[in-house]
Amino acid sequence: MNHWLRTGSLFFALLAGSLVVSAGARAQEEEDPDAEIEEAGEEAEADAESEADAEADAEAEADEAPEEEDAPEEPEEEEEAYEPVEDEEEGLDVPRTLCHGRRVRRIRIRGNRRVSDDDVTATIRLRSGSTCRDSAVARDAQALWNQGFYDDIVVEAEERGSDRIDLTFRVRERPAIGRITFEGNDNVEQADLVEVVDLTEGGILSVPTVREQVTAIRDKYAEEGFFLARVSYRLRRMENNQVDVVFQVDEGERVTVRRVRFVGNRHLADGELQSVMRTRQSGFFSFISNDDRFNRAHFEEDTTRLQAFYYDRGYLAMRVGTPRIDLSADRTYIDVTIPIEEGPRFRIGRLVVREVDD
């Protein structure tokens, strides 16, 4: 209502402005009644002179065209920025509900199974005997929704006399998670997948959280070398308002190690280091042994093998950095780069053997 009043007041202000301009013009005309006669005479003389000069101007223009002078630019009017004025107390007049302004006689909870009535009433702030306000009902409904336990919340009001009402909160609970299962995981153990999934059997189902687990499972497969793995899920409804969450995995092929490179190995050649590793880059006979397939367990073992290889040669402070794995554009090959910090090489200066008496 107030917005319409605002628009109306602006409209009337514009009308008032036009009326002011019109009134000023009429006032000027009333001040000098002979102004119209004098102006008419002056206009007649001006017309005669303009007709006489027209021919001369035409001849002058034919001989020589005068240079046009640039008209002085009028200063641009500064644009007035529009700043909306917001007033919380002024706005559309929204019709009140049956609840607003009446006293609450009783509050009932309906539709809840796992969540007790006491838990629901502890969340809302309206109480029997309090005055009901539409804003209070919206606040309590939002508080229940934010708990994440419900798919739907409806608040109903029933008249009880002229100034009393009964409030009913009808909720529809989200299902609980019955079981979490995996299908198609031939190369990754189910126990390893359960570790990365942030779901609990018996917990409240949250579909956005289930979607997040798809990414976590895919990342786990990428660690194992299955960069082409595809993961989806389905929800299977069970009894007692429960659902089973089933993750379906299409593992795809394990990627091939195209190249293994070392950075920082100044004293030992790449070939020497590659000879002690189980992770091998692609070669002519790779299709026979399949030793060029990336395997996370083998790759972690290779770190220990490299350290032992350096220790045997006196590099006791040697350290293997965090490897970098680059995936090819077609997601079928990876290039592995292993940083090496060799450190100093230690040698035996003197060896002394002594006999120790018992």
Side-chain angles (χ1 to χ4, degrees), residues 264-283:
N265 54 318
R266 294 177 299 171
H267 299 92
L268 298 181
D270 290 3
E272 293 182 85
L273 300 180
Q274 289 178 4
S275 64
V276 300
M277 294 178 58
R278 294 189 64 178
T279 300
R280 303 294 177 84
Q281 61 187 21
S282 297

mmCIF file of all heavy atoms in Angstrom, residues 264-283:
data_model
loop_
_atom_site.group_PDB
_atom_site.id
_atom_site.type_symbol
_atom_site.label_atom_id
_atom_site.label_comp_id
_atom_site.label_asym_id
_atom_site.label_seq_id
_atom_site.Cartn_x
_atom_site.Cartn_y
_atom_site.Cartn_z
ATOM 1 N N GLY A 264 66.680 -33.450 -9.602
ATOM 2 C CA GLY A 264 67.580 -33.270 -8.470
ATOM 3 C C GLY A 264 68.585 -34.381 -8.286
ATOM 4 O O GLY A 264 69.429 -34.304 -7.381
ATOM 5 N N ASN A 265 68.548 -35.433 -9.116
ATOM 6 C CA ASN A 265 69.510 -36.541 -8.992
ATOM 7 C C ASN A 265 70.781 -36.206 -9.778
ATOM 8 O O ASN A 265 70.891 -36.483 -10.962
ATOM 9 C CB ASN A 265 68.885 -37.850 -9.481
ATOM 10 C CG ASN A 265 68.335 -37.742 -10.890
ATOM 11 O OD1 ASN A 265 67.709 -36.754 -11.241
ATOM 12 N ND2 ASN A 265 68.568 -38.771 -11.709
ATOM 13 N N ARG A 266 71.740 -35.630 -9.092
ATOM 14 C CA ARG A 266 72.972 -35.206 -9.762
ATOM 15 C C ARG A 266 74.035 -36.300 -9.807
ATOM 16 O O ARG A 266 74.908 -36.279 -10.672
ATOM 17 C CB ARG A 266 73.546 -33.981 -9.039
ATOM 18 C CG ARG A 266 72.652 -32.743 -9.149
ATOM 19 C CD ARG A 266 73.227 -31.587 -8.370
ATOM 20 N NE ARG A 266 73.340 -31.920 -6.946
ATOM 21 C CZ ARG A 266 73.966 -31.169 -6.046
ATOM 22 N NH1 ARG A 266 74.587 -30.060 -6.417
ATOM 23 N NH2 ARG A 266 74.000 -31.539 -4.774
ATOM 24 N N HIS A 267 73.979 -37.254 -8.887
ATOM 25 C CA HIS A 267 75.037 -38.257 -8.805
ATOM 26 C C HIS A 267 74.619 -39.633 -9.307
ATOM 27 O O HIS A 267 75.480 -40.460 -9.638
ATOM 28 C CB HIS A 267 75.546 -38.384 -7.353
ATOM 29 C CG HIS A 267 76.130 -37.108 -6.827
ATOM 30 N ND1 HIS A 267 75.394 -36.176 -6.128
ATOM 31 C CD2 HIS A 267 77.401 -36.611 -6.898
ATOM 32 C CE1 HIS A 267 76.170 -35.161 -5.791
ATOM 33 N NE2 HIS A 267 77.401 -35.396 -6.242
ATOM 34 N N LEU A 268 73.322 -39.910 -9.352
ATOM 35 C CA LEU A 268 72.843 -41.199 -9.852
ATOM 36 C C LEU A 268 71.939 -40.948 -11.063
ATOM 37 O O LEU A 268 71.066 -40.074 -11.026
ATOM 38 C CB LEU A 268 72.079 -41.956 -8.757
ATOM 39 C CG LEU A 268 72.887 -42.328 -7.493
ATOM 40 C CD1 LEU A 268 72.010 -43.086 -6.512
ATOM 41 C CD2 LEU A 268 74.120 -43.151 -7.868
ATOM 42 N N ALA A 269 72.168 -41.738 -12.105
ATOM 43 C CA ALA A 269 71.454 -41.528 -13.361
ATOM 44 C C ALA A 269 70.005 -42.010 -13.258
ATOM 45 O O ALA A 269 69.647 -42.833 -12.405
ATOM 46 C CB ALA A 269 72.173 -42.264 -14.496
ATOM 47 N N ASP A 270 69.156 -41.507 -14.180
ATOM 48 C CA ASP A 270 67.745 -41.901 -14.199
ATOM 49 C C ASP A 270 67.593 -43.406 -14.392
ATOM 50 O O ASP A 270 66.733 -44.036 -13.769
ATOM 51 C CB ASP A 270 67.006 -41.163 -15.329
ATOM 52 C CG ASP A 270 66.843 -39.680 -15.034
ATOM 53 O OD1 ASP A 270 67.355 -39.216 -13.996
ATOM 54 O OD2 ASP A 270 66.192 -38.983 -15.840
ATOM 55 N N GLY A 271 68.415 -43.976 -15.264
ATOM 56 C CA GLY A 271 68.304 -45.401 -15.527
ATOM 57 C C GLY A 271 68.565 -46.248 -14.292
ATOM 58 O O GLY A 271 67.903 -47.276 -14.080
ATOM 59 N N GLU A 272 69.536 -45.812 -13.471
ATOM 60 C CA GLU A 272 69.828 -46.562 -12.240
ATOM 61 C C GLU A 272 68.631 -46.521 -11.279
ATOM 62 O O GLU A 272 68.290 -47.530 -10.648
ATOM 63 C CB GLU A 272 71.057 -45.973 -11.557
ATOM 64 C CG GLU A 272 72.358 -46.150 -12.303
ATOM 65 C CD GLU A 272 73.537 -45.582 -11.527
ATOM 66 O OE1 GLU A 272 74.082 -46.311 -10.666
ATOM 67 O OE2 GLU A 272 73.873 -44.410 -11.761
ATOM 68 N N LEU A 273 68.009 -45.370 -11.183
ATOM 69 C CA LEU A 273 66.885 -45.235 -10.264
ATOM 70 C C LEU A 273 65.661 -46.002 -10.776
ATOM 71 O O LEU A 273 64.951 -46.637 -9.994
ATOM 72 C CB LEU A 273 66.542 -43.753 -10.072
ATOM 73 C CG LEU A 273 67.668 -42.878 -9.496
ATOM 74 C CD1 LEU A 273 67.208 -41.437 -9.353
ATOM 75 C CD2 LEU A 273 68.131 -43.421 -8.148
ATOM 76 N N GLN A 274 65.418 -45.950 -12.076
ATOM 77 C CA GLN A 274 64.269 -46.664 -12.625
ATOM 78 C C GLN A 274 64.422 -48.179 -12.490
ATOM 79 O O GLN A 274 63.433 -48.910 -12.403
ATOM 80 C CB GLN A 274 64.089 -46.285 -14.094
ATOM 81 C CG GLN A 274 63.596 -44.863 -14.303
ATOM 82 C CD GLN A 274 63.474 -44.508 -15.769
ATOM 83 O OE1 GLN A 274 63.692 -45.356 -16.648
ATOM 84 N NE2 GLN A 274 63.146 -43.252 -16.063
ATOM 85 N N SER A 275 65.660 -48.646 -12.432
ATOM 86 C CA SER A 275 65.875 -50.093 -12.364
ATOM 87 C C SER A 275 65.419 -50.696 -11.036
ATOM 88 O O SER A 275 65.153 -51.902 -10.963
ATOM 89 C CB SER A 275 67.367 -50.408 -12.580
ATOM 90 O OG SER A 275 68.157 -49.863 -11.524
ATOM 91 N N VAL A 276 65.311 -49.871 -9.975
ATOM 92 C CA VAL A 276 64.912 -50.417 -8.679
ATOM 93 C C VAL A 276 63.425 -50.214 -8.402
ATOM 94 O O VAL A 276 62.916 -50.665 -7.368
ATOM 95 C CB VAL A 276 65.733 -49.772 -7.541
ATOM 96 C CG1 VAL A 276 67.210 -50.051 -7.735
ATOM 97 C CG2 VAL A 276 65.470 -48.280 -7.441
ATOM 98 N N MET A 277 62.731 -49.544 -9.302
ATOM 99 C CA MET A 277 61.316 -49.232 -9.077
ATOM 100 C C MET A 277 60.408 -50.301 -9.690
ATOM 101 O O MET A 277 60.739 -50.908 -10.710
ATOM 102 C CB MET A 277 60.967 -47.870 -9.691
ATOM 103 C CG MET A 277 61.658 -46.688 -9.022
ATOM 104 S SD MET A 277 61.244 -45.117 -9.831
ATOM 105 C CE MET A 277 59.457 -45.099 -9.666
ATOM 106 N N ARG A 278 59.257 -50.517 -9.067
ATOM 107 C CA ARG A 278 58.246 -51.413 -9.625
ATOM 108 C C ARG A 278 57.387 -50.686 -10.653
ATOM 109 O O ARG A 278 56.817 -51.301 -11.547
ATOM 110 C CB ARG A 278 57.360 -51.969 -8.509
ATOM 111 C CG ARG A 278 58.096 -52.876 -7.544
ATOM 112 C CD ARG A 278 57.128 -53.571 -6.599
ATOM 113 N NE ARG A 278 56.214 -54.462 -7.308
ATOM 114 C CZ ARG A 278 55.286 -55.215 -6.705
ATOM 115 N NH1 ARG A 278 55.159 -55.157 -5.380
ATOM 116 N NH2 ARG A 278 54.491 -55.997 -7.404
ATOM 117 N N THR A 279 57.269 -49.362 -10.493
ATOM 118 C CA THR A 279 56.524 -48.560 -11.473
ATOM 119 C C THR A 279 57.433 -48.324 -12.664
ATOM 120 O O THR A 279 58.496 -47.719 -12.548
ATOM 121 C CB THR A 279 56.095 -47.214 -10.855
ATOM 122 O OG1 THR A 279 55.263 -47.468 -9.714
ATOM 123 C CG2 THR A 279 55.319 -46.384 -11.852
ATOM 124 N N ARG A 280 57.038 -48.804 -13.828
ATOM 125 C CA ARG A 280 57.857 -48.690 -15.035
ATOM 126 C C ARG A 280 57.108 -47.864 -16.077
ATOM 127 O O ARG A 280 55.883 -47.907 -16.163
ATOM 128 C CB ARG A 280 58.147 -50.072 -15.607
ATOM 129 C CG ARG A 280 58.845 -51.010 -14.625
ATOM 130 C CD ARG A 280 60.248 -50.531 -14.296
ATOM 131 N NE ARG A 280 60.891 -51.391 -13.314
ATOM 132 C CZ ARG A 280 61.526 -52.518 -13.607
ATOM 133 N NH1 ARG A 280 61.583 -52.943 -14.864
ATOM 134 N NH2 ARG A 280 62.097 -53.235 -12.652
ATOM 135 N N GLN A 281 57.855 -47.131 -16.871
ATOM 136 C CA GLN A 281 57.236 -46.417 -17.960
ATOM 137 C C GLN A 281 57.047 -47.341 -19.154
ATOM 138 O O GLN A 281 57.635 -48.421 -19.226
ATOM 139 C CB GLN A 281 58.075 -45.196 -18.353
ATOM 140 C CG GLN A 281 59.477 -45.531 -18.820
ATOM 141 C CD GLN A 281 60.322 -44.277 -19.039
ATOM 142 O OE1 GLN A 281 60.019 -43.214 -18.505
ATOM 143 N NE2 GLN A 281 61.365 -44.396 -19.836
ATOM 144 N N SER A 282 56.218 -46.933 -20.093
ATOM 145 C CA SER A 282 55.862 -47.781 -21.224
ATOM 146 C C SER A 282 57.092 -48.160 -22.030
ATOM 147 O O SER A 282 57.986 -47.338 -22.269
ATOM 148 C CB SER A 282 54.860 -47.056 -22.128
ATOM 149 O OG SER A 282 53.659 -46.811 -21.432
ATOM 150 N N GLY A 283 57.118 -49.414 -22.432
ATOM 151 C CA GLY A 283 58.209 -49.912 -23.258
ATOM 152 C C GLY A 283 57.690 -50.893 -24.287
ATOM 153 O O GLY A 283 56.481 -51.132 -24.401
#
